[in-house]
Amino acid sequence: MIPTVRPRRLRSTPAMRRLAAETRLHPAELILPVFVREGIDEPRPIASMPGVLQHTLDSVRRTAAEAAEAGIGGVMLFGVPAVRDAEGSAADDPQGILNVATRAVAAEVGDALVVQTDLCLDEFTDHGHCGVLDARGEVDNDTTLERYRAMALAQAEAGSALLGLSGMMDGQVAAVRDALDEAGYESTAILGYSAKYASAFYGPFREAVDSQLSGDRRTYQQDPANRREGLREAELDIAEGADVVMVKPAMSYLDVLSDVASVSPVPVWAYQVSGEAAMIEAAAANGWIDRRRTIEESVTGIKRAGADAILSYFAIELAGWIR
């Protein structure tokens, strides 16, 4: 039988494939995660994340300017302090590394892209957890919310346009929104890391922030086995006032991303995390995969599943390819 329906017609040439593409990437949909470390004189490579650095204040300004020139949508800043304590005191210190870096980057590129900050205690605590510990050594949800409120005010004052609430404490969006509004920061946006799973793919990130974590975060990050719970968390964050919600990691949770995107009235973002990027780099370095094609395909898949924007360590490079 000779087929009368021939889908291959729309795949016949590069021009035809481009015209028929259902999903397109744009630089403005990409966000670059950036690490700034206190007390270093020059940028330090992160061994498990080829091409990614711990920045100085000077180099983070240059990277932010490069990101703006590439036309990407924003940068997400993470701070690595020189001194840590049980409360994560450096997190809301106006002279803490993250807040100092935020002021510097906002002054450099704040009109050209969205300067964003990670709002979580794990980089700042000497135990590496995302919250304050109680007498039993467990994360105290409600005491931690008070620390998040203080961090929110410090980051907003420093010039962050969007706060990325990544700690996975119950009620964190409502607590931070209340603190911001009460202090007159009604225009500061909140990104709720709603469906954030207790993933093995975060491994290289622990090196990037010099994590002090012993144990795991399974009592507050989500169980990788649970799909419906991801949607439930997103709906709770939206009800509490999140302006954007997040699914993290991206590639192992495309089903959750699709679920959230199908019902969310606010933008849905996804994070192509450190382990995902590191695997691509390692396989490409061994000649097992085509690096550029794999990066493009992986991020396209995240967009196709429903992400409105994507945090990726490849953001600047990818933007150059697709412009």
Side-chain angles (χ1 to χ4, degrees), residues 190-234:
I190 290 177
L191 163 64
Y193 281 54
S194 304
K196 181 179 179 182
Y197 287 82
S199 173
F201 288 98
Y202 302 147
F205 181 91
R206 305 279 166 82
E207 179 190 355
V209 298
D210 189 22
S211 175
Q212 305 300 298
L213 181 67
S214 176
D216 59 54
R217 297 178 175 138
R218 297 184 187 214
T219 64
Y220 45 102
Q221 294 178 354
Q222 289 176 242
D223 186 340
N226 294 351
R227 177 176 180 173
R228 290 192 301 271
E229 186 182 30
L231 179 58
R232 182 189 185 207
E233 289 274 12

Short mmCIF file of all heavy atoms in Angstrom, two decimals, residues 190-234:
data_model
loop_
_atom_site.label_atom_id
_atom_site.label_comp_id
_atom_site.label_asym_id
_atom_site.label_seq_id
_atom_site.Cartn_x
_atom_site.Cartn_y
_atom_site.Cartn_z
N ILE A 190 7.79 37.12 43.92
CA ILE A 190 8.15 35.88 44.61
C ILE A 190 8.06 34.71 43.64
O ILE A 190 7.04 34.50 42.97
CB ILE A 190 7.22 35.62 45.81
CG1 ILE A 190 7.51 36.64 46.93
CG2 ILE A 190 7.39 34.19 46.34
CD1 ILE A 190 6.58 36.50 48.12
N LEU A 191 9.14 33.97 43.57
CA LEU A 191 9.19 32.69 42.86
C LEU A 191 9.14 31.59 43.91
O LEU A 191 10.06 31.45 44.72
CB LEU A 191 10.49 32.58 42.05
CG LEU A 191 10.92 31.19 41.58
CD1 LEU A 191 9.91 30.59 40.62
CD2 LEU A 191 12.31 31.24 40.94
N GLY A 192 8.05 30.83 43.91
CA GLY A 192 7.94 29.71 44.83
C GLY A 192 8.54 28.45 44.21
O GLY A 192 8.05 28.00 43.17
N TYR A 193 9.59 27.92 44.84
CA TYR A 193 10.10 26.61 44.41
C TYR A 193 9.10 25.59 44.94
O TYR A 193 9.29 25.00 46.00
CB TYR A 193 11.47 26.35 45.00
CG TYR A 193 12.64 27.02 44.31
CD1 TYR A 193 12.66 28.39 44.10
CD2 TYR A 193 13.73 26.27 43.88
CE1 TYR A 193 13.75 29.00 43.49
CE2 TYR A 193 14.83 26.87 43.28
CZ TYR A 193 14.83 28.24 43.09
OH TYR A 193 15.91 28.84 42.50
N SER A 194 8.02 25.41 44.21
CA SER A 194 6.87 24.68 44.73
C SER A 194 7.11 23.18 44.74
O SER A 194 7.00 22.52 45.77
CB SER A 194 5.64 25.02 43.88
OG SER A 194 5.41 26.41 43.86
N ALA A 195 7.41 22.64 43.58
CA ALA A 195 7.66 21.21 43.46
C ALA A 195 9.16 21.00 43.39
O ALA A 195 9.75 20.85 42.32
CB ALA A 195 6.97 20.65 42.22
N LYS A 196 9.80 21.01 44.56
CA LYS A 196 11.24 20.81 44.64
C LYS A 196 11.48 19.47 45.32
O LYS A 196 11.13 19.27 46.49
CB LYS A 196 11.91 21.94 45.42
CG LYS A 196 13.44 21.76 45.50
CD LYS A 196 14.08 22.91 46.26
CE LYS A 196 15.59 22.72 46.36
NZ LYS A 196 16.25 23.81 47.12
N TYR A 197 12.10 18.57 44.58
CA TYR A 197 12.24 17.19 45.03
C TYR A 197 13.60 16.93 45.68
O TYR A 197 14.59 17.58 45.36
CB TYR A 197 12.03 16.25 43.84
CG TYR A 197 10.58 16.17 43.43
CD1 TYR A 197 10.01 17.13 42.60
CD2 TYR A 197 9.76 15.16 43.92
CE1 TYR A 197 8.67 17.07 42.25
CE2 TYR A 197 8.41 15.09 43.57
CZ TYR A 197 7.87 16.05 42.74
OH TYR A 197 6.55 16.00 42.40
N ALA A 198 13.63 15.97 46.59
CA ALA A 198 14.86 15.55 47.26
C ALA A 198 15.65 14.68 46.28
O ALA A 198 15.58 13.46 46.29
CB ALA A 198 14.54 14.77 48.53
N SER A 199 16.41 15.35 45.43
CA SER A 199 17.00 14.71 44.26
C SER A 199 18.49 14.44 44.40
O SER A 199 19.23 15.25 44.98
CB SER A 199 16.76 15.61 43.03
OG SER A 199 17.44 15.13 41.90
N ALA A 200 18.93 13.35 43.80
CA ALA A 200 20.36 13.06 43.72
C ALA A 200 21.06 13.94 42.69
O ALA A 200 22.29 14.02 42.68
CB ALA A 200 20.56 11.59 43.35
N PHE A 201 20.29 14.61 41.85
CA PHE A 201 20.86 15.44 40.80
C PHE A 201 21.41 16.77 41.32
O PHE A 201 21.95 17.55 40.55
CB PHE A 201 19.81 15.71 39.71
CG PHE A 201 19.50 14.51 38.87
CD1 PHE A 201 18.39 13.74 39.13
CD2 PHE A 201 20.33 14.13 37.83
CE1 PHE A 201 18.09 12.62 38.37
CE2 PHE A 201 20.05 13.02 37.05
CZ PHE A 201 18.92 12.26 37.32
N TYR A 202 21.30 17.04 42.61
CA TYR A 202 21.85 18.27 43.18
C TYR A 202 23.31 18.14 43.57
O TYR A 202 23.91 19.09 44.07
CB TYR A 202 21.06 18.69 44.43
CG TYR A 202 19.59 18.92 44.23
CD1 TYR A 202 18.69 18.63 45.25
CD2 TYR A 202 19.08 19.43 43.05
CE1 TYR A 202 17.33 18.85 45.11
CE2 TYR A 202 17.73 19.65 42.88
CZ TYR A 202 16.85 19.35 43.91
OH TYR A 202 15.51 19.56 43.76
N GLY A 203 23.91 16.98 43.38
CA GLY A 203 25.25 16.73 43.88
C GLY A 203 26.28 17.80 43.57
O GLY A 203 26.93 18.34 44.49
N PRO A 204 26.48 18.18 42.30
CA PRO A 204 27.50 19.20 42.01
C PRO A 204 27.20 20.56 42.64
O PRO A 204 28.13 21.31 42.97
CB PRO A 204 27.46 19.28 40.47
CG PRO A 204 26.97 17.94 40.04
CD PRO A 204 25.96 17.55 41.08
N PHE A 205 25.93 20.89 42.83
CA PHE A 205 25.57 22.16 43.47
C PHE A 205 26.14 22.23 44.88
O PHE A 205 26.53 23.32 45.33
CB PHE A 205 24.04 22.28 43.52
CG PHE A 205 23.54 23.56 44.14
CD1 PHE A 205 23.29 24.67 43.35
CD2 PHE A 205 23.30 23.66 45.50
CE1 PHE A 205 22.82 25.86 43.90
CE2 PHE A 205 22.84 24.83 46.07
CZ PHE A 205 22.60 25.94 45.27
N ARG A 206 26.22 21.09 45.56
CA ARG A 206 26.76 21.08 46.92
C ARG A 206 28.21 21.55 46.92
O ARG A 206 28.66 22.23 47.83
CB ARG A 206 26.64 19.67 47.52
CG ARG A 206 25.22 19.11 47.50
CD ARG A 206 24.37 19.60 48.63
NE ARG A 206 22.95 19.33 48.41
CZ ARG A 206 22.35 18.17 48.65
NH1 ARG A 206 23.05 17.15 49.11
NH2 ARG A 206 21.05 18.03 48.45
N GLU A 207 28.96 21.17 45.88
CA GLU A 207 30.33 21.68 45.76
C GLU A 207 30.32 23.17 45.44
O GLU A 207 31.12 23.94 46.00
CB GLU A 207 31.09 20.94 44.65
CG GLU A 207 32.51 21.47 44.48
CD GLU A 207 33.22 20.93 43.24
OE1 GLU A 207 32.65 20.06 42.54
OE2 GLU A 207 34.34 21.41 42.97
N ALA A 208 29.40 23.59 44.59
CA ALA A 208 29.36 24.99 44.17
C ALA A 208 29.15 25.95 45.34
O ALA A 208 29.68 27.06 45.35
CB ALA A 208 28.26 25.19 43.13
N VAL A 209 28.34 25.53 46.33
CA VAL A 209 28.07 26.40 47.48
C VAL A 209 28.83 25.96 48.73
O VAL A 209 28.58 26.46 49.82
CB VAL A 209 26.56 26.48 47.78
CG1 VAL A 209 25.82 27.08 46.61
CG2 VAL A 209 25.99 25.12 48.17
N ASP A 210 29.77 25.01 48.55
CA ASP A 210 30.56 24.50 49.68
C ASP A 210 29.63 24.06 50.82
O ASP A 210 29.80 24.44 51.97
CB ASP A 210 31.53 25.57 50.17
CG ASP A 210 32.53 25.04 51.19
OD1 ASP A 210 32.77 23.82 51.21
OD2 ASP A 210 33.05 25.85 51.98
N SER A 211 28.66 23.22 50.47
CA SER A 211 27.63 22.83 51.43
C SER A 211 28.21 22.09 52.63
O SER A 211 29.10 21.24 52.49
CB SER A 211 26.60 21.92 50.74
OG SER A 211 25.66 21.43 51.67
N GLN A 212 27.68 22.41 53.81
CA GLN A 212 28.10 21.76 55.05
C GLN A 212 27.12 20.66 55.46
O GLN A 212 27.19 20.16 56.59
CB GLN A 212 28.18 22.81 56.16
CG GLN A 212 29.06 23.99 55.83
CD GLN A 212 30.49 23.58 55.57
OE1 GLN A 212 31.15 23.04 56.45
NE2 GLN A 212 30.98 23.85 54.36
N LEU A 213 26.24 20.27 54.56
CA LEU A 213 25.16 19.34 54.90
C LEU A 213 25.68 17.96 55.29
O LEU A 213 26.52 17.37 54.61
CB LEU A 213 24.21 19.19 53.72
CG LEU A 213 23.02 18.26 53.95
CD1 LEU A 213 22.07 18.83 55.00
CD2 LEU A 213 22.27 18.01 52.64
N SER A 214 25.14 17.47 56.40
CA SER A 214 25.32 16.08 56.80
C SER A 214 23.93 15.47 56.89
O SER A 214 23.05 16.01 57.56
CB SER A 214 26.03 15.99 58.15
OG SER A 214 26.12 14.65 58.58
N GLY A 215 23.71 14.36 56.22
CA GLY A 215 22.36 13.79 56.18
C GLY A 215 21.66 14.17 54.90
O GLY A 215 22.29 14.32 53.85
N ASP A 216 20.35 14.36 54.97
CA ASP A 216 19.59 14.69 53.77
C ASP A 216 18.46 15.65 54.11
O ASP A 216 18.31 16.07 55.26
CB ASP A 216 19.03 13.42 53.11
CG ASP A 216 18.12 12.62 54.04
OD1 ASP A 216 17.16 13.21 54.57
OD2 ASP A 216 18.37 11.41 54.22
N ARG A 217 17.69 16.01 53.10
CA ARG A 217 16.62 17.00 53.26
C ARG A 217 15.25 16.40 52.98
O ARG A 217 14.33 17.10 52.57
CB ARG A 217 16.89 18.19 52.33
CG ARG A 217 18.18 18.90 52.67
CD ARG A 217 18.48 20.03 51.71
NE ARG A 217 19.67 20.76 52.15
CZ ARG A 217 20.63 21.19 51.35
NH1 ARG A 217 20.54 20.97 50.05
NH2 ARG A 217 21.67 21.83 51.84
N ARG A 218 15.11 15.11 53.23
CA ARG A 218 13.89 14.43 52.83
C ARG A 218 12.68 14.78 53.69
O ARG A 218 11.55 14.46 53.30
CB ARG A 218 14.11 12.91 52.86
CG ARG A 218 15.17 12.49 51.86
CD ARG A 218 15.34 10.99 51.79
NE ARG A 218 16.48 10.65 50.95
CZ ARG A 218 16.55 9.57 50.17
NH1 ARG A 218 15.55 8.74 50.11
NH2 ARG A 218 17.62 9.35 49.45
N THR A 219 12.89 15.42 54.84
CA THR A 219 11.73 15.79 55.65
C THR A 219 11.07 17.08 55.16
O THR A 219 9.98 17.43 55.62
CB THR A 219 12.11 15.99 57.14
OG1 THR A 219 13.02 17.08 57.25
CG2 THR A 219 12.72 14.72 57.71
N TYR A 220 11.72 17.78 54.23
CA TYR A 220 11.07 18.99 53.69
C TYR A 220 11.05 19.05 52.17
O TYR A 220 10.10 19.56 51.59
CB TYR A 220 11.66 20.28 54.29
CG TYR A 220 13.16 20.38 54.39
CD1 TYR A 220 13.89 21.13 53.48
CD2 TYR A 220 13.85 19.78 55.45
CE1 TYR A 220 15.27 21.27 53.59
CE2 TYR A 220 15.22 19.92 55.58
CZ TYR A 220 15.93 20.66 54.64
OH TYR A 220 17.29 20.79 54.76
N GLN A 221 12.05 18.52 51.49
CA GLN A 221 11.94 18.40 50.04
C GLN A 221 11.08 17.19 49.69
O GLN A 221 10.97 16.24 50.47
CB GLN A 221 13.33 18.30 49.41
CG GLN A 221 14.14 19.57 49.57
CD GLN A 221 15.53 19.47 48.99
OE1 GLN A 221 15.97 18.40 48.54
NE2 GLN A 221 16.27 20.58 49.00
N GLN A 222 10.51 17.19 48.50
CA GLN A 222 9.51 16.18 48.16
C GLN A 222 10.11 14.83 47.77
O GLN A 222 11.22 14.74 47.25
CB GLN A 222 8.64 16.68 47.00
CG GLN A 222 7.71 17.81 47.40
CD GLN A 222 6.94 18.33 46.22
OE1 GLN A 222 7.06 19.49 45.85
NE2 GLN A 222 6.15 17.48 45.60
N ASP A 223 9.32 13.79 48.01
CA ASP A 223 9.69 12.43 47.66
C ASP A 223 9.62 12.28 46.13
O ASP A 223 8.59 12.56 45.52
CB ASP A 223 8.70 11.46 48.33
CG ASP A 223 9.08 10.01 48.14
OD1 ASP A 223 9.85 9.68 47.20
OD2 ASP A 223 8.57 9.17 48.91
N PRO A 224 10.73 11.82 45.48
CA PRO A 224 10.71 11.66 44.03
C PRO A 224 9.62 10.72 43.52
O PRO A 224 9.29 10.76 42.32
CB PRO A 224 12.11 11.09 43.73
CG PRO A 224 12.97 11.62 44.83
CD PRO A 224 12.08 11.59 46.05
N ALA A 225 9.05 9.90 44.39
CA ALA A 225 8.00 8.98 43.96
C ALA A 225 6.65 9.65 43.75
O ALA A 225 5.74 9.06 43.17
CB ALA A 225 7.84 7.85 44.98
N ASN A 226 6.50 10.90 44.22
CA ASN A 226 5.18 11.52 44.28
C ASN A 226 4.96 12.55 43.17
O ASN A 226 5.71 13.53 43.07
CB ASN A 226 4.98 12.19 45.63
CG ASN A 226 4.92 11.18 46.76
OD1 ASN A 226 4.86 9.97 46.52
ND2 ASN A 226 4.93 11.66 47.99
N ARG A 227 3.92 12.32 42.40
CA ARG A 227 3.55 13.22 41.32
C ARG A 227 2.46 14.20 41.74
O ARG A 227 2.60 15.41 41.58
CB ARG A 227 3.08 12.41 40.11
CG ARG A 227 2.60 13.25 38.94
CD ARG A 227 2.26 12.37 37.75
NE ARG A 227 1.79 13.14 36.61
CZ ARG A 227 1.56 12.64 35.40
NH1 ARG A 227 1.76 11.35 35.18
NH2 ARG A 227 1.14 13.41 34.42
N ARG A 228 1.38 13.71 42.31
CA ARG A 228 0.26 14.59 42.69
C ARG A 228 0.69 15.62 43.72
O ARG A 228 0.19 16.74 43.72
CB ARG A 228 -0.91 13.76 43.23
CG ARG A 228 -1.62 12.92 42.19
CD ARG A 228 -2.93 12.37 42.75
NE ARG A 228 -2.73 11.55 43.93
CZ ARG A 228 -2.52 10.24 43.90
NH1 ARG A 228 -2.45 9.59 42.74
NH2 ARG A 228 -2.35 9.55 45.03
N GLU A 229 1.61 15.24 44.60
CA GLU A 229 2.07 16.15 45.63
C GLU A 229 2.71 17.40 45.03
O GLU A 229 2.61 18.50 45.59
CB GLU A 229 3.06 15.44 46.55
CG GLU A 229 3.49 16.27 47.75
CD GLU A 229 4.52 15.54 48.60
OE1 GLU A 229 5.30 14.74 48.07
OE2 GLU A 229 4.53 15.80 49.81
N GLY A 230 3.38 17.25 43.90
CA GLY A 230 3.99 18.40 43.25
C GLY A 230 2.96 19.42 42.82
O GLY A 230 3.14 20.63 43.01
N LEU A 231 1.87 18.96 42.25
CA LEU A 231 0.79 19.85 41.85
C LEU A 231 0.15 20.49 43.08
O LEU A 231 -0.16 21.70 43.08
CB LEU A 231 -0.26 19.09 41.05
CG LEU A 231 -1.48 19.87 40.58
CD1 LEU A 231 -1.07 21.07 39.73
CD2 LEU A 231 -2.43 18.96 39.79
N ARG A 232 -0.03 19.72 44.13
CA ARG A 232 -0.63 20.26 45.35
C ARG A 232 0.22 21.39 45.93
O ARG A 232 -0.29 22.45 46.34
CB ARG A 232 -0.78 19.15 46.39
CG ARG A 232 -1.44 19.62 47.69
CD ARG A 232 -1.39 18.56 48.76
NE ARG A 232 -2.13 18.99 49.96
CZ ARG A 232 -1.86 18.57 51.19
NH1 ARG A 232 -0.89 17.70 51.39
NH2 ARG A 232 -2.57 19.00 52.21
N GLU A 233 1.54 21.20 45.97
CA GLU A 233 2.43 22.23 46.49
C GLU A 233 2.35 23.50 45.65
O GLU A 233 2.36 24.62 46.18
CB GLU A 233 3.87 21.70 46.53
CG GLU A 233 4.13 20.65 47.60
CD GLU A 233 4.48 21.29 48.94
OE1 GLU A 233 4.31 22.50 49.11
OE2 GLU A 233 4.94 20.54 49.82
N ALA A 234 2.29 23.35 44.34
CA ALA A 234 2.19 24.51 43.46
C ALA A 234 0.89 25.27 43.70
O ALA A 234 0.88 26.51 43.76
CB ALA A 234 2.30 24.08 42.01
#
